Every structure is written in structure tokens, then in C-alpha cells.
Amino acid sequence: MRESHRSSAGDGLLTLSGVGKTFRNGTVALAGIDLTIAAGSFVSLLGPSGCGKSTLLRIIAGLVEPSVGRRWLAADGAASGSVGFVFQEPTLMPWATVADNIYLPLRLAGMSRREAGPRIAEAIAAVGLDGFAGAYPRELSGGMKMRVSIARAFATRPRLLLLDEPFAALDEITRLKLNEDLLRLWRTAGWTVVFVTHSVFESVFLSSHVVVLSPRPGRIAADLPIDLPYPRETELRMTATYGDHCRTVSEALAAAMARP
Amino acid sequence: MRASWRLLAPLVVGVIFLVAWEAVVRIEDIPVYVLPGPLVVAETLWRDGASLFGSLLVTLRITAAALAAAAVLGGLIAILFARSRLLEISLFPYAVILQVTPIVAIAPLIIIWVQNTFLALLLCAWLVAFFPIVANTTLGLNSADRNLVELFRLYGATGWQALLLLRLPAALPYFLGGLRISGGLALIGAVVAEFVAGTGGTETGLAFRILEAGYRLQIPRLFAALVLLSFAGVAIYWVLSLVSWLVLRRWHESALPRDE
């Protein structure tokens, strides 16, 4: 089955067609990926460890060149930074304060510190870290560091925000809180988000679409719309429809795993 | 353990050692030209202190100049190595050769070749001191967080921006660690060079005073000079550790207070 997977109706912000990746050591990480990410959508890439989700995200980011196939990012005329990336680890510069870490991408874009000031303050406020602008990463908890990492991406006003299992290393409570905060930011900022995770529950709670990948070589096994209304709050996790969606996604994942 | 013990414990060991030394010298009636007791050494240090201290300053001047040159040139060489892999693999073996060749063996040549004694001594001390800085800083420049390197690439950083904003700060703790090792080595290099050079013109360093005292069987003075030399070495190490702590205390693990 090689149909084109569209993550939702509407124009694609990013399109991958026939994308595959073979590493230099011969490992085939991805094969035959056709994917369209619609503007404004929240897409989760779900799959077992080692299925190439992170590689796919890096191809989407333009950090890794696909071995075959094409990546196409819609030209938009928007002046702001086009792609933001949040890594699995907070990936902060330990020698720089919170504000300076958030300033980094703006600085690299040639913005002066004075110009960037309001944007940095806005980003810090958006992730709820008021009062920590002058703190160093080692003075922050794991969850707070992750917030800084998100604020750094936020400050660039990206059209496309990519997150690579950003909350995997955090405790459950922090993780749920950050999920909700991320959803809120996504809705207010008008981002398009691609979110890599290996948690069925997380993907269903967050996404407008869940793209299930099969084990290596990673292929798209299913593309499931999650038609739960936004805003989604904690209570959603208790509802039957949420449970139904989780089951559907789980079954798709199990089917993908079972495929030879 | 309480902080006072940290200071007291080595002090107690020192006092026991000195008392035992003094006792052995007195009980065995060891002549002063074989082994002077600590009291005699202290008395000599008091009497000849001013003159010995002048010589110490000569040695310290060479040490400081060599260390400064090692820091600047070593740092620059490391940056060149980090910028060009070809340069690193072509030149690094020669840096190693310079490092492993005993300075005692090449010092006579240097003293023959370089007319200016100060420069000759400086060169000897520098040869001993520069390698730890080059090796450590090169390591540091290459050990920046891979995700941060990707982040810099994603946000379009130039090579120089990555060097200035990422690699140099990441290398700073390594550089300072190298500097701490080099501080002691520069002193050793200066002393060895002085031994080889002999009088060394109008000004005589502490090493030559040690030789001279040895020739004249002024063993208490030899000991006094040795004591000064070790204190100087300890002071250099202490000052460089302090510099390192001051620079890194806000962010680096090595400068954090330890929990007991």
C-alpha cells in the first residue's frame, strides 16, 4: 500500500515524497515515506524505538539529507525563522543564562540584544518562567530546562516546530503539565507542530493526527486523525472517546510491529 | 566532615612530620651538611630569605612569561587544530614528540642556539608547558554537545559563530584544567633550564642558588631554597585553581559545592 498520506485537508506546509534514508553503514532507517504536514496541524510521529522517527524528524528539519525522495517546504514569505527544533535533552548552553540561551537563535539571525529583548521576555512568559531570566541551566529542574528549550524555539516564531521526544526523560506529573502547556502555546501561536513520541497516550492527547511508523526500515503504517475537540484539558484523559482513540492507535501500532 | 578538619588534618600530619624530622636529626646527631633539621632550615630561610626571594622572583618571572606564552600560543594552536582537521593530524604528532622529549636533553641545545638567556630559559619552560594546554583545549573544542552543534547549524550559524559562541565556551573548563597542569610544568621547566644554563647572566634564579648551595655544602640554604620553590609551586597551583573557580563557578560542574 503506497498511497499518499495527508495529515489533514488543506495545503501542505511540508511535503515529503518517496523519502528514504540509508546510513553509510548500510542500515536502512526509512523507506518510501510520503507525508504531507498541513499548516496549523499537530502531527505526532509514533513508533517503537529505532524505527527512524528521529531520523525522519531531522529530515523534516533539513538537518539530514534524505538518501532518496524529496522534501519540500512551502514558501511563505514569512520573515521569521521557519523551523524550530526541540531536542530530547534540553540542549542548553550551560555557560549562558536562560535569557541568553533563548537569545541564541535570534542572535544567529543577526538580531541585536536590544531588539531581541521583548521577544525573549515574551518567550519566557509564554513558558511560565518569569523571574528566571538570569538563572543558569544548572539552577533549574529538568522540566524547567525543557521549558527554556521550548521558549528558545518559541522566540524564533517558527512556522514549523519540531519536537523530538522532548518530555521522555521527565517525570509523569511534569510531563502532563508540559503537554497541556505545549497545546496552549500551539493554539495561541498558530504553529504547525511535528512531535515525535513513543507514548500512545501522549500522541492521542496532543495531536490532530497520529502517524504510526513501522519498525526499521521505518514506513508509514497508519495515519490516524484524532477528532477530539480543542482545547483539550486534563479531564479529557478520563473520557471514553479518548480511550477509544488510544485503543485504535495502540492497535495500529501493534499491527505495525507485527508486520514482517 | 567539617570544614575545620579539612584544614586541620593535613596540618597535623605536617607538624608530626616536622617534629619527627627534628627529633631524628637531634637523636642521631646528623651533621648539618648531611641533613639539617627543620629549625635550622627555618632559621636559614629567615636569614637568607631576602636574597633567596630575589632569586625566586627571577625564576617566577620566567615561569609566568612561559605560562602566558603557553596559554596564548597553546590556545591558538588548539583553535587552528579545531578549525582544520588536516592541520591537526599533520602537526599533533610533532607536538607529542616535543612533549615526550625530556627537556633536560634539549635544554643545552636551546641554550647554545638562543643567545639571550632569558629567551632561552623562556623557550625551555614554554616547551614543557604548552602541550597540556594544546591537548586539553583541542579536546574541549571538539567536545561541544552534538545537539548544540546541530542547533547552531539549524539556526544558520557560521563556522566562526559556532567557534565563538559554542566551541570556545565549551572548551574553557578544559583550557583552565590544562592551564593548571601547565602552571606547575612551567615552573619545573624554568628550574630545569636554569640548572642547565648555570649562572644565567647577571640575575640568578632560584635553581642556580640550589646548585650553588649544593656545591658549597650549604645544605640548610639548599633546603631553604627548596622550601621556597615548593611554596611557589603550590601558590601557582592555588592561584590558577582560584582563577578557574572564579570563571566557572556560575555554571560548570567542577565549581559546584560538593555535598558530603
Side-chain angles (χ1 to χ4, degrees):
Chain A
M1 196 173 77
R2 285 286 304 273
E3 75 204 347
S4 177
H5 292 268
R6 298 183 68 83
S7 56
S8 82
D11 288 338
L13 175 63
L14 179 121
T15 306
L16 299 178
S17 81
V19 162
K21 179 70 186 176
T22 307
F23 287 116
R24 225 173 291 166
N25 63 11
T27 311
V28 183
L30 295 168
I33 301 281
D34 295 310
L35 181 67
T36 301
I37 311 275
S41 62
F42 194 123
V43 179
S44 283
L45 301 178
L46 180 71
S49 297
C51 72
K53 336 185 263 293
S54 290
T55 307
L56 181 56
L57 197 68
R58 280 174 162 70
I59 288 174
I60 293 173
L63 281 170
V64 170
E65 281 297 311
S67 308
V68 291
R70 284 182 46 209
R71 165 190 181 268
W72 182 75
L73 185 65
D76 186 39
S80 58
S82 58
V83 178
F85 204 104
V86 176
F87 294 87
Q88 187 166 357
E89 293 85 32
T91 314
L92 303 175
M93 301 179 291
W95 53 85
T97 61
V98 166
D100 285 337
N101 266 293
I102 296 171
Y103 175 43
L104 177 74
L106 306 176
R107 179 175 190 170
L108 293 176
M111 200 180 277
S112 78
R113 183 63 205 251
R114 183 188 294 271
E115 269 180 284
R119 276 226 214 169
I120 296 170
E122 182 194 27
I124 289 176
V127 297
L129 281 179
D130 302 84
F132 288 96
Y136 283 81
R138 73 166 175 85
E139 296 161 353
L140 305 177
S141 70
M144 287 159 88
K145 282 185 215 168
M146 216 58 236
R147 287 174 186 276
V148 178
S149 188
I150 292 168
R152 178 175 56 197
F154 181 93
T156 62
R157 300 186 179 152
R159 291 156 65 202
L160 184 59
L161 179 66
L162 311 174
L163 303 101
D164 186 5
E165 299 190 39
F167 311 138
L170 300 177
D171 63 273
E172 189 71 11
I173 297 166
T174 312
R175 183 183 172 132
L176 296 183
K177 180 82 179 74
L178 280 170
N179 276 343
E180 285 168 32
D181 288 354
L182 179 64
L183 269 190
R184 186 175 46 75
L185 284 174
W186 166 66
R187 285 170 53 75
T188 50
W191 288 333
T192 304
V193 172
V194 181
F195 187 93
V196 166
T197 179
H198 54 235
S199 161
V200 170
F201 304 106
E202 192 170 53
S203 67
V204 170
F205 183 77
L206 292 172
S207 321
S208 56
H209 270 260
V210 176
V211 173
V212 179
L213 294 177
S214 66
R216 181 166 290 167
R219 296 171 187 276
I220 294 178
D223 185 352
L224 308 164
I226 308 293
D227 50 8
L228 298 166
Y230 293 99
R232 298 177 185 172
E233 310 282 350
T234 316
E235 296 72 43
L236 178 72
R237 297 179 202 273
M238 320 304 176
T239 62
T241 38
Y242 175 73
D244 290 343
H245 279 289
C246 288
R247 187 178 312 125
T248 311
V249 172
S250 284
E251 281 164 5
L253 187 60
M257 297 288 287
R259 211 177 62 172
Chain B
M1 217 159 57
R2 291 236 294 280
S4 53
W5 272 102
R6 210 172 275 270
L7 205 67
L8 214 59
L11 220 61
V12 167
V13 172
V15 169
I16 291 173
F17 176 74
L18 289 178
V19 168
W21 177 4
E22 185 70 36
V24 168
V25 167
R26 281 174 190 244
I27 292 163
E28 298 289 321
D29 207 13
I30 299 173
V32 80
Y33 55 84
V34 177
L35 178 66
L39 287 178
V40 179
V41 173
E43 191 197 327
T44 314
L45 192 57
W46 179 254
R47 199 158 20 83
D48 297 351
S51 132
L52 287 177
F53 194 73
S55 299
L56 175 66
L57 285 184
V58 174
T59 304
L60 283 184
R61 204 154 60 218
I62 292 163
T63 306
L67 187 61
V72 172
L73 287 174
L76 286 178
I77 290 170
I79 289 171
L80 281 180
F81 281 2
R83 293 293 291 168
S84 158
R85 183 92 183 107
L86 180 67
L87 214 57
E88 182 185 349
I89 55 177
S90 352
L91 292 183
F92 202 79
Y94 297 100
V96 175
I97 289 173
L98 275 182
Q99 168 66 13
V100 296
T101 310
I103 188 67
V104 197
I106 34 178
L109 286 176
I110 291 172
I111 283 156
I112 292 168
W113 290 337
V114 182
Q115 290 302 308
N116 182 318
T117 315
F118 181 80
L119 271 184
L121 298 182
L122 177 66
L123 192 59
C124 289
W126 179 80
L127 273 177
V128 186
F130 92 102
F131 185 77
I133 293 181
V134 172
N136 266 28
T137 312
T138 306
L139 180 67
L141 288 168
N142 289 328
S143 62
D145 184 338
R146 290 186 78 94
N147 283 339
L148 271 175
V149 174
E150 280 205 326
L151 190 86
F152 270 69
R153 203 147 57 83
L154 184 77
Y155 289 122
T158 63
W160 284 110
Q161 279 176 321
L163 177 72
L164 206 67
L165 298 176
L166 175 60
R167 293 188 191 279
L168 282 182
L172 193 59
Y174 294 82
F175 169 78
L176 290 169
L179 196 66
R180 237 178 334 176
I181 301 168
S182 292
L185 287 180
L187 182 65
I188 293 173
V191 166
V192 168
E194 281 179 13
F195 268 136
V196 176
T199 60
T202 51
E203 290 182 311
T204 48
L206 204 56
F208 183 70
R209 300 295 296 273
I210 290 173
L211 273 184
E212 185 189 53
Y215 292 146
R216 295 180 186 169
L217 280 184
Q218 293 169 327
I219 307 303
R221 174 181 280 198
L222 187 152
F223 267 86
L226 269 182
V227 168
L228 268 186
L229 207 53
S230 355
F231 278 158
V234 171
I236 289 171
Y237 185 81
W238 187 81
V239 166
L240 293 175
S241 299
L242 183 70
V243 168
S244 175
W245 182 80
L246 284 175
V247 174
L248 303 179
R249 74 200 145 113
R250 286 307 299 272
W251 64 273
H252 198 252
E253 293 292 336
S254 67
L256 297 189
R258 294 221 169 76
D259 297 325
E260 305 250 348

